[in-house]
């Protein structure tokens, strides 16, 4: 089945953590081997409507090629980063 460009955007997750800015969170994820985008993602109007224009977000884009194990690992690493003492 052919997928349109709109299908790609349905899989993106845009997240924000109260305890850490999105650029720092992306850098910490990179230390664990994850490639993640942080910031406004060329979509200031979307960020304005979401209330994240001043903070930006961390963008995750899972795909059909990601395994359940990889998704679980992503969640585990995010929790570890955000709950580790001295993570700020």
């Amino acid at each position: 089945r052919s997928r349109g460009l709109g299908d790609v955007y349905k899989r993106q997750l845009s997240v924000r953590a109260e305890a850490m800015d999105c650029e720092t969170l992306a850098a910490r994820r990179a230390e664990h081997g994850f490639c993640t985008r942080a910031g406004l993602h060329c979509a200031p109007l979307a960020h304005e409507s979401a209330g994240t224009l001043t903070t930006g977000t961390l963008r995750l884009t899972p795909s059909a090629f990601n395994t359940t194990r990889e998704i679980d690992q992503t969640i585990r690493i995010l929790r570890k980063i955000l709950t580790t003492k001295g993570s700020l």
Side-chain angles (χ1 to χ4, degrees):
R1 168 177 104 113
S2 176
R3 294 185 183 216
L5 186 58
D7 291 334
V8 172
Y9 293 109
K10 292 176 187 175
R11 292 188 298 249
Q12 293 179 356
L13 302 171
S14 192
V15 297
R16 185 176 68 129
E18 289 182 17
M20 187 178 296
D21 67 76
C22 63
E23 287 84 7
T24 302
L25 184 54
R28 295 287 307 276
R29 282 181 44 81
E31 293 170 5
H32 292 275
F34 289 92
C35 181
T36 310
R37 287 206 45 206
L40 296 180
H41 316 297
C42 302
L45 294 177
H47 284 281
E48 184 175 38
S49 68
T52 58
L53 186 60
T54 59
T55 62
T57 61
L58 182 77
R59 186 171 78 185
L60 308 170
T61 310
S63 77
F65 300 104
N66 290 111
T67 65
T68 301
R69 181 174 172 251
E70 290 170 329
I71 300 298
D72 290 343
Q73 182 182 20
T74 296
I75 294 166
R76 189 172 47 256
I77 293 299
L78 276 173
R79 281 188 183 138
K80 179 181 178 181
I81 290 169
L82 293 172
T83 59
T84 301
K85 186 174 181 169
S87 64
L88 297 178

